[in-house]
Amino acid sequence: MEHILEAVNYINSVTSSFNPQVAIILGTGLGGFADNIDVAYSIPYGDIPNMPVSTVQGHAGRLIFGTIGSVKVVAMQGRFHYYEGYTMKQVTFPVRVLAKLGIDYLFVSNASGGINTSFCVGDLMIITDHINLLPNPLIGPNNEQLGPRFPDMHDCYAKAVRDKATDIADELNIKLQYGVYVGTTGPTFETQAEYRYFKAIGGDAVGMSTVPETIVARHMGVPVFGVSVITNCGLSDQKGDHEDVQLQGRKAGERMSKLFVELIKRLY
Ligand code: HPA
């Protein structure tokens, strides 16, 4: 808690208590979303007390504060993955800080492998639910000031926000898929047998992020909205490739950005 508050106090001092309403975690290749923000402050992670520093290719590492329309937002450009060697507490530390800054919503985005065979590369999938195959970030003593010992995970990805996204996508002619995101540790892409297994247990897409951040946001009562860019199709013969994942992420990122921007404007 002390570490969280130290980071919160630092951010508030630098941003004159900007008090963002919506936080957005930008996934692989989706950094371009930041161009939609009328930027007020940009803080490198390295300046924030107790913040881990990002290492993976394609992840910059800063918090961007600004406005989209009349909504005050903060974007996390660069996130922390368990496969990089961070602890689950480190992976989710930024979400604790964002929640303590008083956000009303957390938007998460990621690149993922399609399990559902009706998905195509470049599709956007609204995350309707998840299956967690990573260590749970809430393991350990619970701090009741942050949230309950046994948090409820119904409506984990807020239905009201998802419905609004569906309406906006219809208007903007953006094709959407819907499905269950399976969160794995990585860093290996899945074997064919693992893909078949994830399909059997009810997964539609698989990736190496998002679930820990969502769990921590829900622990603190913050509604979550998540979108996954399908960058490859696991049950086809194609191999997983980080560069291709980044390319597909960037291409679909434009559509996702449009959806996020319009949705953020209409949340209030
Ligand atoms: N598996 C896991 N993570 C991913 C994939 C995948 O196929 N594609 C993009 N991120």
Side-chain angles (χ1 to χ4, degrees):
M1 183 63 122
E2 220 172 90
H3 285 174
I4 299 166
L5 293 182
E6 225 175 10
V8 167
N9 290 339
Y10 172 79
I11 291 168
N12 279 334
S13 73
V14 172
T15 64
S16 315
S17 297
F18 185 76
N19 297 335
Q21 297 162 282
V22 180
I24 306 117
I25 302 180
L26 305 174
T28 302
L30 305 174
F33 174 80
D35 297 341
N36 296 288
I37 302 173
D38 191 0
V39 179
Y41 306 95
S42 175
I43 310 179
Y45 290 165
D47 290 359
I48 303 170
N50 313 312
M51 191 84 159
V53 175
S54 173
T55 61
V56 79
Q57 219 181 313
H59 292 263
R62 58 192 161 168
L63 285 183
I64 299 169
F65 293 81
T67 49
I68 292 179
S70 58
V71 182
K72 291 197 279 182
V73 304
V74 53
M76 258 185 82
Q77 205 169 45
R79 62 143 64 91
F80 305 98
H81 302 87
Y82 187 63
Y83 64 73
E84 292 176 88
Y86 298 109
T87 64
M88 290 305 271
K89 293 276 180 279
Q90 288 177 308
V91 167
T92 53
F93 180 78
V95 177
R96 294 282 185 206
V97 173
L98 296 173
K100 278 286 173 202
L101 286 172
I103 54 169
D104 302 321
Y105 299 93
L106 175 69
F107 281 27
V108 287
S109 62
N110 61 55
S112 67
I115 298 168
N116 188 319
T117 47
S118 70
F119 292 177
C120 305
V121 169
D123 275 355
L124 298 180
M125 184 190 87
I126 301 285
I127 304 176
T128 56
D129 207 342
H130 72 226
I131 294 173
N132 182 26
L133 299 179
L134 283 140
N136 196 300
L138 304 183
I139 289 172
N142 185 57
N143 184 338
E144 288 288 330
Q145 287 173 306
L146 294 176
R149 172 72 289 187
F150 302 107
D152 186 76
M153 286 286 139
H154 281 85
D155 201 32
C156 198
Y157 298 86
K159 172 106 171 44
V161 184
R162 283 188 271 137
D163 288 348
K164 214 171 264 195
T166 298
D167 291 344
I168 292 168
D170 277 350
E171 280 173 39
L172 300 180
N173 240 327
I174 295 173
K175 178 184 162 196
L176 292 182
Q177 304 284 10
Y178 300 85
V180 173
Y181 178 91
V182 180
T184 63
T185 65
T188 46
F189 288 112
E190 288 63 38
T191 64
Q192 291 292 286
E194 284 164 343
Y195 265 108
R196 288 192 299 272
Y197 166 62
F198 292 156
K199 187 180 164 88
I201 63 172
D204 294 292
V206 54
M208 309 171 193
S209 67
T210 301
V211 170
E213 294 135 330
T214 297
I215 289 174
V216 163
R218 295 304 302 133
H219 183 233
M220 297 176 81
V222 176
V224 176
F225 174 69
V227 177
S228 203
V229 176
I230 307 298
T231 55
N232 55 293
C233 285
L235 292 168
S236 76
D237 293 335
Q238 276 167 254
K239 286 199 226 156
D241 173 321
H242 188 59
E243 271 172 37
D244 197 46
V245 165
Q246 292 205 325
L247 175 69
Q248 295 301 335
R250 270 197 301 278
K251 281 193 187 167
E254 269 176 44
R255 272 173 290 132
M256 197 210 61
S257 290
K258 268 196 210 163
L259 179 68
F260 271 23
V261 165
E262 203 49 39
L263 184 54
I264 286 168
K265 286 182 182 169
R266 292 201 219 168
L267 283 173
Y268 296 92

